[in-house]
Amino acid sequence: MEENQIYRVTYEAFSKFSNSLSRCRSFEEVANVLRVNLKFLFNYHCVRISFQWEEHFAHFTISMQDAQVEVLGEGNYMPHEKQLLSQKRPLCWNNQQVAMLPLAYQVPTEEQTELWGWVFENQERCLLVSLLAGQSKPFTKRDVTFVRLMAESLESKLLELFLFQELDKRNEEISYINAQQQEVIKQRTSEITKKNERLLEISIASAHQMREPLSRVLGLVQIMGQAQSMETIQEQVLPRLSKSATDLDTVLREVIDNATGELIELGAD
Amino acid sequence: MEITNFITESFIRNINPAHNVYNFTDPVKAFGEVTTIDPDVILLDLNMPELDGWGFLDRMQESQMAYNVYILSSSTSELDKKRSSTYGNVVGFLVKPLEEDVLSNILETNAR
């Protein structure tokens, strides 16, 4: 194939990758898209992608058949990734250093493998891409363009997923706070209801206490109206009326004192 | 207590001075004399010293006295009203202050 044609086919593959990626709603879906589409962009035995945003980390390991993702609260970098992080520039390792890869990513020595690595940093975010190529899976400088394109799309997608995750967490927190406030309101309402009941009880009891001397006053006033003489009123009714009025006053004072005491006790402020 | 009785007695005398009124502030003494007096009707205050109205009614029940009793109370409590209806000889529950025409009615219906 002509070089132009190869480019065109690869761009088509990239556009397909891009479309699939934009529809992803989880890190697992992203891993799956990588497993399916990455091999049409460039050659590799395996690819490792690590993304970090603030305290959030996602690590993808993609082979020809498989793709795995770990989402963590702290970085779980491979030794060569730590080197990339400290040097902050593209690196390429020969056979010997490739031995630092986990056993699962080892390939036969006759492959004469090369490990390529890139660092893409952007504000609070950092994306590492590393790729293991060999004689049967050759990787050339020309392919770096697609690594960069892939990294850009992936970086914004992973940030979006982490932001959504954060949003869900915040929403959960808000729901929790709301539920707690509901509980507090319920408790306060029940306290107020109890206080109201108690105050109502006091007012009923008070009314009963006051009725007794008051009924006497009313009775005596009636007798006064029917009395035969002033002497009867002066000698028999008035002293009793006075006593009853005093009793009523005493009861009223007690009621006021009790109610005040209860109010303080109930903390109705 | 003394004043309440004075009021009730005054009312009765005003209705008909011929009625014999026995006025007690001591319920124990009253219970001791009740058979001797043999009253047409008893006006019983619930709130009394030593022996309250309920105790008085219990003693009457024990001694199988069937005198008609009207409860005189300053309380409008439904609970007291209900409890008083469990005694067969309680024929009424009156809330103070007593009205004269109500009292007049009672005296008339219970006169022998």
Side-chain angles (χ1 to χ4, degrees):
Chain A
M1 270 196 286
E2 261 180 65
E3 199 164 302
N4 278 352
Q5 215 172 340
I6 295 172
Y7 262 114
R8 219 184 60 212
V9 170
T10 314
Y11 268 112
E12 269 168 30
F14 176 75
S15 129
K16 195 171 166 241
F17 162 76
S18 235
N19 280 336
S20 311
L21 190 66
S22 70
R23 283 193 292 270
C24 288
R25 290 287 168 267
S26 70
F27 293 97
E28 287 70 24
E29 282 173 35
V30 170
N32 196 44
V33 167
L34 289 170
R35 179 184 64 82
V36 173
N37 295 283
L38 217 54
K39 54 179 171 280
F40 301 115
L41 303 185
F42 39 78
N43 293 320
Y44 53 85
H45 283 292
C46 63
V47 173
R48 164 85 170 179
I49 298 166
S50 293
F51 178 70
Q52 172 257 324
W53 169 63
E54 292 178 350
E55 298 298 302
H56 306 278
F57 297 84
H59 298 287
F60 295 86
T61 40
I62 305 117
S63 66
M64 294 304 281
Q65 304 82 25
D66 186 38
Q68 306 226 326
V69 60
E70 284 181 293
V71 180
L72 305 164
E74 52 182 46
N76 183 22
Y77 291 107
M78 289 181 178
H80 75 274
E81 288 183 309
K82 285 178 185 162
Q83 249 179 289
L84 278 172
L85 279 175
S86 67
Q87 303 207 11
K88 293 186 190 301
R89 64 183 174 87
L91 292 172
C92 188
W93 293 268
N94 62 27
N95 276 344
Q96 266 187 319
Q97 285 153 318
V98 171
M100 288 193 289
L101 281 178
L103 214 60
Y105 306 105
Q106 300 288 350
V107 286
T109 39
E110 57 267 29
E111 268 290 300
Q112 295 178 0
T113 49
E114 280 177 331
L115 182 64
W116 300 64
W118 298 269
V119 187
F120 303 95
E121 272 189 307
N122 192 355
Q123 288 166 349
E124 301 284 302
R125 288 113 64 189
C126 176
L127 186 82
L128 300 181
V129 180
S130 37
L131 179 150
L132 187 68
Q135 286 209 320
S136 67
K137 305 280 182 193
F139 185 88
T140 64
K141 275 194 174 169
R142 226 182 41 196
D143 298 321
V144 174
T145 318
F146 288 102
V147 172
R148 289 193 182 282
L149 284 172
M150 182 273 299
E152 271 169 31
S153 314
L154 198 58
E155 206 253 355
S156 55
K157 185 68 199 183
L158 296 177
L159 178 65
E160 179 197 303
L161 288 179
F162 274 135
L163 286 171
F164 273 123
Q165 208 178 47
E166 195 72 353
L167 201 65
D168 284 349
K169 210 175 96 193
R170 294 282 152 85
N171 280 340
E172 250 171 61
E173 276 168 12
I174 290 167
S175 306
Y176 176 72
I177 291 166
N178 278 346
Q180 265 191 330
Q181 277 176 339
Q182 286 295 327
E183 195 47 48
V184 169
I185 290 166
K186 224 167 97 185
Q187 211 179 321
R188 291 282 149 81
T189 310
S190 126
E191 276 169 25
I192 289 167
T193 310
K194 270 183 206 149
K195 283 178 186 176
N196 277 346
E197 277 171 13
R198 179 76 193 114
L199 289 173
L200 208 61
E201 277 170 24
I202 294 167
S203 70
I204 292 169
S206 305
H208 282 306
Q209 262 180 290
M210 290 187 281
R211 278 203 101 250
E212 197 280 320
L214 179 63
S215 73
R216 276 188 271 143
V217 170
L218 292 170
L220 289 166
V221 167
Q222 202 180 332
I223 288 166
M224 215 149 54
Q226 300 160 342
Q228 310 283 333
S229 66
M230 268 315 270
E231 283 79 12
T232 318
I233 292 175
Q234 269 180 353
E235 283 165 24
Q236 300 197 3
V237 185
L238 277 182
R240 291 181 167 106
L241 188 58
S242 165
K243 171 80 169 66
S244 300
T246 308
D247 287 349
L248 179 58
D249 184 51
T250 307
V251 169
L252 271 171
R253 281 171 198 276
E254 277 173 18
V255 163
I256 291 166
D257 283 352
N258 282 345
T260 311
E262 286 284 349
L263 275 177
I264 291 166
E265 201 180 303
L266 288 175
D269 42 19
Chain B
M1 188 73 216
E2 190 273 331
I3 299 174
T4 311
N5 284 9
F6 169 81
I7 294 165
T8 313
E9 189 175 342
S10 301
F11 278 5
I12 296 170
R13 296 216 180 286
N14 195 47
I15 293 160
N16 185 350
H19 283 307
N20 285 321
V21 182
Y22 298 85
N23 175 347
F24 294 95
T25 50
D26 176 356
V28 182
K29 193 171 168 223
F31 189 80
E33 291 180 29
V34 74
T35 37
T36 322
I37 298 166
D38 190 24
D40 292 342
V41 65
I42 297 172
L43 300 173
L44 181 67
D45 206 312
L46 282 179
N47 194 8
M48 296 187 293
E50 267 180 273
L51 181 67
D52 70 3
W54 305 117
F56 196 91
L57 287 169
D58 288 339
R59 283 209 190 173
M60 283 181 75
Q61 218 167 33
E62 282 163 26
S63 314
Q64 295 181 325
M65 294 178 186
Y67 302 115
N68 280 355
V69 172
Y70 285 83
I71 304 246
L72 250 179
S73 169
S74 61
S75 146
T76 52
S77 162
E78 274 303 309
L79 227 70
D80 284 351
K81 210 169 177 173
K82 224 173 231 175
R83 185 170 169 192
S84 71
S85 67
T86 61
Y87 294 90
N89 57 328
V90 173
V91 289
F93 189 95
L94 308 168
V95 177
K96 289 187 268 186
L98 213 48
E99 277 168 41
E100 212 173 277
D101 52 343
V102 174
L103 192 60
S104 165
N105 236 327
I106 288 167
L107 294 174
E108 217 169 283
T109 44
N110 289 278
R112 281 184 293 196

